[in-house]
Amino acid sequence: MLLPCKPDRAQRDVTMGGQTLALVMQGCNAGGATFAVSHVLVPDTAQAASMLALWKTAVLAHVQATDVREQPFAVPGGWNAPQSLRLQASGRGADGAPVAMQAAWFARVDADGVHLFHAAAFSPTAMAMADAADTFFSSLAVP
């Protein structure tokens, strides 16, 4: 992936699908926009598709998303699941200020399980991040 800035990295435990999983995040701020990618490994492949959809629902609820426009999203090397998508929406940031959001959810399957990913770009206006977001999302791939 191509981030427009040097990312910070963090990890924390989260509960998803009744399991405690390590969520690994990296992100940065550039030009008034925030870019981030999060990842969890789900060992039980049977739950992976529903967990990807629940992750999307949780993010949209967290930002109080409106005007959501979705489209299918495939990344090179990714799992071709119907829950893999990219969207644009309006919402509210943690401080309550309006934000424009672009986000994607996708996955990769390997011998360890299913790797679930969430990529997002947030800014005060959609135009403030349009070109950088397109570069960011088009650069996403899984090995």
Side-chain angles (χ1 to χ4, degrees):
M1 80 181 140
L2 295 175
L3 287 168
C5 42
K6 184 178 178 182
D8 292 321
R9 300 176 197 280
Q11 181 174 329
R12 67 181 171 115
D13 288 339
V14 297
T15 301
M16 294 178 76
Q19 302 175 56
T20 300
L21 302 170
L23 175 71
V24 179
M25 303 160 281
Q26 57 182 336
C28 62
N29 297 311
T34 300
F35 298 85
V37 176
S38 302
H39 164 263
V40 296
L41 173 61
V42 179
D44 180 4
T45 58
Q47 289 184 316
S50 64
M51 289 174 72
L52 203 57
L54 289 171
W55 197 354
K56 178 194 87 162
T57 300
V59 169
L60 293 178
H62 180 72
V63 299
Q64 303 170 32
T66 60
D67 192 28
V68 178
R69 295 174 309 277
E70 296 182 3
Q71 63 189 30
F73 185 69
V75 297
W79 178 37
N80 188 18
Q83 295 80 6
S84 297
L85 56 91
R86 181 175 171 186
L87 61 77
Q88 296 180 350
S90 300
R92 299 262 171 217
D95 61 358
V99 295
M101 175 180 81
Q102 292 191 39
W105 289 265
F106 53 98
R108 174 177 61 94
V109 179
D110 67 16
D112 295 327
V114 182
H115 299 264
L116 304 181
F117 297 90
H118 166 54
F122 296 90
S123 74
T125 67
M127 292 305 295
M129 68 172 168
D131 291 339
D134 285 341
T135 300
F136 172 58
F137 287 102
S138 67
S139 75
L140 295 171
V142 293

